[in-house]
Amino acid sequence: MSGGLKQRLEDMSAPSFVGREQELALLTHSWQRARQGAGGLVLISGEAGIGKTALVGCLAAEAREQGALVLTGSAYDLSSTPPYGPWSELVESLSLTNAAPGAMSTVAGLKKLGSEDILFDQARNFFRNLAAEQPLILILEDLHWADQASLELLRFVARGIARNRILVITTYRDDEVTRGSSLYRFLPLLFRESDANVLELDGLTRANIHGLVQARYPLSQSDLDRLIDLLHTNTGGNPLFLREMLRMLEADALLAPDEPVLQLGRPEQTSTSSLVQQVIERRLDFLSQSSRELLSLAAVIGNEVPLDLWQTASGTRDEEFITRFEAIVTRPLVRQVPDRASVRFTHEVVRQVIYEAIALPRRRRLHQQVAEALMAQPSPDPDTVAHHLRSAGDSRAVEWLIQAGERALRASAYADSAERYHAALQLLQAGGGDEARQGWLCYRIARLSLYLEPDRSLRYLDEAERHATNSGDRVLAAFTRFDRGTVHMGFNRLDHALNEMEPAIQALQALESDTTTGDHTVGDR
């Protein structure tokens, strides 16, 4: 660890930095190797509030001072992350940096999307060109929410940086990486293909907490032991919870820095099982009802809240909105985003607590308000609109999910496209909707799975044919049979293939001159 970085860490008295010397040393070693041309990938895992972002931020600040270009992108939980969402945000952050002049000229080339192979090659060359001008650190936050296309790109980029001045750092919550998540399937590949370094952040030890508390509060040994027991038992060493509990004790005048007094009863009398919730609710008590309602709306919008969307969805006039907004930002719940007309919650846990406290009927109404405000904007993000409509129980979510699938398809994010179509299909099935449309969605998913997952493709083709039969859609029935023959041909089942494809071709030829087949919307196919 460099002297400057060590001093920076020692200067950080916040719980997020206590007890992280070894992890920071390993992260610094990876950075110094990358700086010398031996790039690599570091995966940092741990629960919410454990200090992942703080650790990365500490290294990033030092690396910038040493001439590095640091770019950051994040995945988000409230709305489905759009294809390559974290990477797009990372590239967009380039405009906020002091990048070398030649760096900006490469951005336009990256945005000209072609096939997936072309896009991946463009991205790799883009980052290599940046690293040729100055050492590069790419930070991808909250990968447990990342879309599959973003993980595929990470895998590709990580394989090609060993001889470049590029360090890729990712963070994710290990407790949210379940069998159903995309990251669950990708982690073994990342470990194997890129020789990634792994940092698993655990809670602070009792000794760590002792050092932190002793430096700040000159208590007697007995009071110090009681306080440490209380903090360790109720926070599990989580730096976020630890910091909030100390704030709560100070706010209640039970504890004060630089004063040898601990006005604390028995530890069991100060239960903090829902510590963060208590702290946040206490901060909300200082807000008016109208400001609290505005903050609830922000929690529904997401972790980053654009001011124009927030005001439009709230239906408030300028002065009224400004008054409520000013009251909210005086509390340590949200902070303004530099160079952007938006705010972020100080931590995702803060937003989550506020969001979960909203009664379900009201939550659905707020999602509806946000969806309407988004749809009134020019070219709204289809994934975000679909998310809010689904959360509101609005059937229009089907249309927006299909739009999101089409966008993913144009970006060559085939797995993400199939995922959106499948979500739209589920909504149609739940509502007993249009059988023909269900059939065409099944057909789309089957086409996207044709070569990568042929068994899955066959299942969806069978489902599509069933819907075609029930709805009398002869076009869909013919297409379905022809593609099923294609799948059989891939399995070298030539007899099966011919038995499917020949009748399908005949049916399509008959339909070509048949004016009674009806009108089929292109968007449904």
Side-chain angles (χ1 to χ4, degrees), residues 384-420:
T384 306
V385 175
H387 159 73
H388 288 292
L389 288 174
R390 289 177 75 182
S391 299
D394 192 314
S395 61
R396 289 176 294 174
V398 171
E399 305 295 337
W400 287 91
L401 282 167
I402 291 173
Q403 286 189 42
E406 290 168 349
R407 180 180 67 171
L409 185 59
R410 290 193 297 272
S412 302
Y414 304 123
D416 291 333
S417 179
E419 180 184 308
R420 272 46 166 193

Side-chain angles (χ1 to χ4, degrees), residues 208-222:
N208 295 148
I209 299 173
H210 183 281
L212 173 73
V213 172
Q214 189 175 44
R216 185 174 176 85
Y217 308 100
L219 302 171
S220 68
Q221 189 60 49
S222 60

